[in-house]
């Protein structure tokens, strides 16, 4: 009931995005029903029907991807202060988002069923004629369990993906800002002296003095060292320097506050952690994996082109190659966008290029993956145009519908991510305007970002499309 009320009270832009999800779900559901109709019409060719059903995975994945992007930008299901007191915590809002997505997808599935029954003539008694008659299973009874299973596939997958992406996550601990001293294993914190490699394991290094003479000698030496250390400590604090220990050694601190002492009086020494500046950024670590998966996808497409036979439906190897190519470009998209932002700031940048590059670097994790998906869809469209040429098979209405669903979902997801990024940097834009930045400069920075992304992803799309279409066009 709460999901229905939030759906009714949403703004027009939110309703349009949910309508896009419903339309995409209707197209995917209609393709699934057509695959079922083809299986009923041709029971002697189960392999061809299974291949048609497998190709429906592409519009299904595109629809689920769009549904997740729309759910992320829904302002009605974002956590707000005070909602947990009335039982609307992050978990409850996640469930509301998943329910709203399921309702939108279910509406599209019902529309797909009505259109399919209309074309079969079950509602009006006048079946349609043309190239789609073999996919409608005219004159045969539709199995109700199969129809229900196929129509509930899109809402179930979309709601599960939304729940997985919007699930409550525990906040990550922030890294400590203090400097750390690296020595032997476990030796950091307030160190009195620097230890060389192997000092801890040397025989007798941790044994107490054996005689009173050595104890008195060490006591006198420690007293003189303490006197000199006090003088050096006073001088160092007066100059604002770090604390200096006995023998002139520098006392370094692992964090802002010294660690608590243990039961035996020694300071507690937690394990040292590596320098956070040496750790690669999260949105750039997937770039090598994306390149590897993209290369694997092109190799699979080359193998599929060598073993391809003329038919109306491409083989499963072509589908696997295109899926790997799309996955590789989606993984490499954030890293490429971050690289584009860095290149914009190279070689003595001005204020315009600096602003555009920093915004690209900050938004690379949000718009990079949709950009990679759009790049993969464009390259697949180029390869499909090379496959369905004058000497190849015909590009039927079902193939056109599937291509429109995939391309429309990819472009709509990119636009949705761009709108989300614009809303997230509203505070930054307002601050720049208050500081006196002219609005023309902000618009010019947006144009520079768009031009830089087009200059990077445009040639990449052409290269991938050419490499993917070469084995298929032979």
């Amino acid at each position: 009931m709460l999901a229905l009320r939030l759906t009714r009270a949403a703004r027009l832009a939110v309703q349009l995005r949910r309508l896009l999800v419903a339309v995409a779900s209707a197209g995917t559901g209609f393709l699934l029903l057509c695959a079922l109709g083809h299986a009923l019409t041709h029971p002697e060719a189960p392999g061809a029907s299974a291949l048609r059903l497998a190709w429906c995975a592409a519009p299904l994945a595109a629809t689920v991807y769009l549904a997740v992007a729309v759910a992320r930008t829904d302002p009605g299901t974002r956590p707000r202060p005070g909602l947990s007191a009335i039982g609307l915590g992050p978990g409850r809002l996640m469930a509301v988002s998943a329910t709203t997505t399921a309702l939108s997808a279910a509406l599209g599935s019902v529309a797909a069923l009505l259109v399919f029954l209309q074309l079969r003539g079950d509602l009006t008694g006048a079946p349609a004629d043309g190239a789609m008659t073999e996919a409608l299973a005219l004159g045969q009874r539709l199995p109700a369990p199969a129809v229900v299973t196929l129509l509930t596939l899109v809402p179930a997958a979309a709601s599960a993906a939304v729940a997985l992406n919007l699930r409550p996550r525990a906040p990550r601990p922030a890294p400590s800002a203090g400097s750390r001293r690296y020595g032997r294993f476990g030796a950091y914190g307030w160190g009195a002296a620097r230890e060389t490699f192997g000092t801890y394991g040397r025989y007798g290094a941790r044994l107490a003095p054996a005689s009173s003479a050595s104890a008195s000698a060490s006591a006198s030496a420690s007293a003189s060292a303490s006197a000199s250390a006090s003088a050096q400590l006073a001088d160092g604090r007066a100059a604002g320097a770090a604390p200096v220990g006995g023998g002139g050694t520098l006392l370094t601190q692992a964090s802002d506050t010294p660690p608590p002492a243990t039961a035996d009086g020694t300071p507690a020494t937690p394990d040292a952690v590596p320098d956070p500046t040496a750790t690669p950024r999260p949105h750039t670590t997937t770039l090598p994996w994306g390149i590897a998966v993209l290369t694997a996808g092109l190799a699979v497409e080359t193998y599929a082109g060598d073993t391809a036979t003329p038919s109306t439906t491409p083989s499963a190897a072509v589908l696997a190659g295109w899926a790997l190519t799309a996955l590789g470009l989606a993984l490499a998209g954030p890293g490429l966008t971050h690289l584009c932002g860095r290149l914009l700031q190279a070689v003595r940048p001005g204020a315009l290029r600096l602003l555009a590059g920093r915004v690209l670097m900050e938004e690379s994790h949000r718009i990079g993956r949709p950009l990679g998906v759009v790049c993969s869809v464009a390259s697949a469209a180029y390869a499909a145009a090379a496959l369905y040429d004058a000497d190849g098979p015909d590009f039927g209405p079902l193939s056109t519908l599937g291509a429109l669903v995939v391309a429309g979902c990819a472009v709509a997801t990119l636009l949705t991510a761009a709108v989300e990024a614009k809303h997230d940097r509203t505070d930054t834009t307002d601050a720049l305007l208050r500081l006196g930045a002219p609005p023309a400069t902000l618009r010019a920075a947006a144009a520079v970002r768009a031009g830089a992304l087009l200059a990077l992803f445009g040639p990449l799309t052409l290269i991938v499309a050419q490499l993917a279409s070469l084995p298929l066009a032979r």
Side-chain angles (χ1 to χ4, degrees):
M1 186 61 66
L2 179 60
L4 288 175
R5 291 182 178 180
L6 290 177
T7 302
R8 291 177 53 190
R11 295 178 298 177
L12 180 60
V14 179
Q15 299 287 6
L16 289 178
R17 288 196 289 266
R18 292 172 180 170
L19 182 61
L20 287 178
V21 174
V23 171
S25 176
T28 305
F30 184 79
L31 291 174
L32 291 172
L33 292 177
C34 288
L36 174 62
H38 185 274
L40 294 176
T41 307
H42 303 278
E44 72 282 355
S49 302
L51 186 58
R52 284 174 174 262
L53 185 62
W55 271 99
C56 294
L60 175 62
T63 304
V64 171
Y65 193 47
L66 175 62
V68 171
V70 170
R72 287 174 55 119
T73 57
D74 192 353
T77 56
R78 291 182 179 178
R80 294 183 181 90
L83 290 182
S84 299
I86 59 175
L88 291 178
R92 182 71 180 275
L93 291 178
M94 178 268 296
V96 171
S97 298
T99 305
T100 304
T101 304
L103 290 176
S104 302
L107 178 62
S109 297
V110 172
L113 178 60
L114 293 178
V115 172
F116 187 76
L117 295 178
Q118 174 69 24
L119 294 178
R120 277 173 49 89
D122 295 337
L123 299 180
T124 59
D129 54 351
M132 294 178 53
T133 53
E134 64 175 5
L136 297 177
L138 299 178
Q140 299 187 21
R141 185 177 180 180
L142 295 176
V147 172
V148 173
T149 301
L150 292 177
L151 290 181
T152 55
L153 184 61
V154 180
S159 59
V162 169
L164 182 63
N165 281 269
L166 300 183
R167 68 186 186 277
R169 296 178 176 88
R172 297 180 179 179
S176 59
S179 60
R180 294 186 180 272
R181 181 177 65 84
Y182 296 97
R184 63 172 176 81
F185 179 77
Y188 61 94
W190 289 88
R194 183 178 179 181
E195 296 180 348
T196 59
F197 179 79
T199 301
Y200 186 86
R202 190 172 297 125
Y203 178 75
R206 296 295 182 268
L207 295 180
S211 59
S212 59
S214 60
S216 60
S218 61
S220 60
S222 62
S224 61
S226 300
S228 61
S230 301
Q232 294 178 5
L233 182 60
D235 296 339
R237 288 182 178 176
V244 179
T249 57
L250 182 66
L251 295 178
T252 58
Q253 188 176 3
S255 60
D256 296 338
T257 57
T262 56
D264 56 355
T266 59
T269 57
D271 294 336
V273 297
D275 189 5
T277 59
T279 306
R281 294 179 182 271
H283 44 269
T284 57
T285 53
T286 57
L287 181 58
W289 293 99
I291 295 175
V293 175
L294 174 61
T295 306
L298 293 176
V300 172
E301 290 184 20
T302 303
Y303 171 77
D306 293 337
T307 60
T309 57
S311 61
T312 57
T313 305
S315 62
V318 176
L319 175 62
W322 283 359
L324 288 177
T325 302
L327 179 60
L329 288 174
L331 290 176
L336 292 176
T337 308
H338 189 271
L339 177 63
C340 185
R342 282 189 175 274
L343 292 178
L344 274 179
Q345 303 174 71
V347 192
R348 300 175 64 88
L352 185 62
R353 286 198 295 137
L354 188 63
L355 178 61
R358 289 298 177 90
V359 171
L360 275 183
M361 291 174 62
E362 290 296 327
E363 295 178 355
S364 59
H365 66 284
R366 183 177 289 111
I367 66 174
R369 192 165 287 119
L371 273 174
V373 173
V374 171
C375 180
S376 65
V377 170
S379 61
Y382 185 89
L387 178 62
Y388 290 94
D389 54 359
D391 299 331
D394 296 332
F395 201 77
L398 294 180
S399 302
T400 304
L401 177 60
L404 289 177
V405 169
V406 173
C409 289
V411 175
T413 303
L414 177 60
L415 295 178
T416 304
V419 171
E420 181 185 6
K422 181 180 179 181
H423 288 330
D424 286 346
R425 67 171 185 269
T426 302
D427 297 338
T428 304
T429 304
D430 295 341
L432 289 175
L433 292 176
R434 286 195 303 267
L435 289 175
T441 302
L442 301 180
R443 291 192 294 267
V448 169
R449 292 196 303 269
L453 292 176
L454 184 60
L456 178 64
F457 282 91
L460 177 63
T461 303
L462 293 178
I463 292 173
V464 174
Q466 189 66 25
L467 292 176
S469 61
L470 281 178
L472 298 177
R474 288 183 297 182

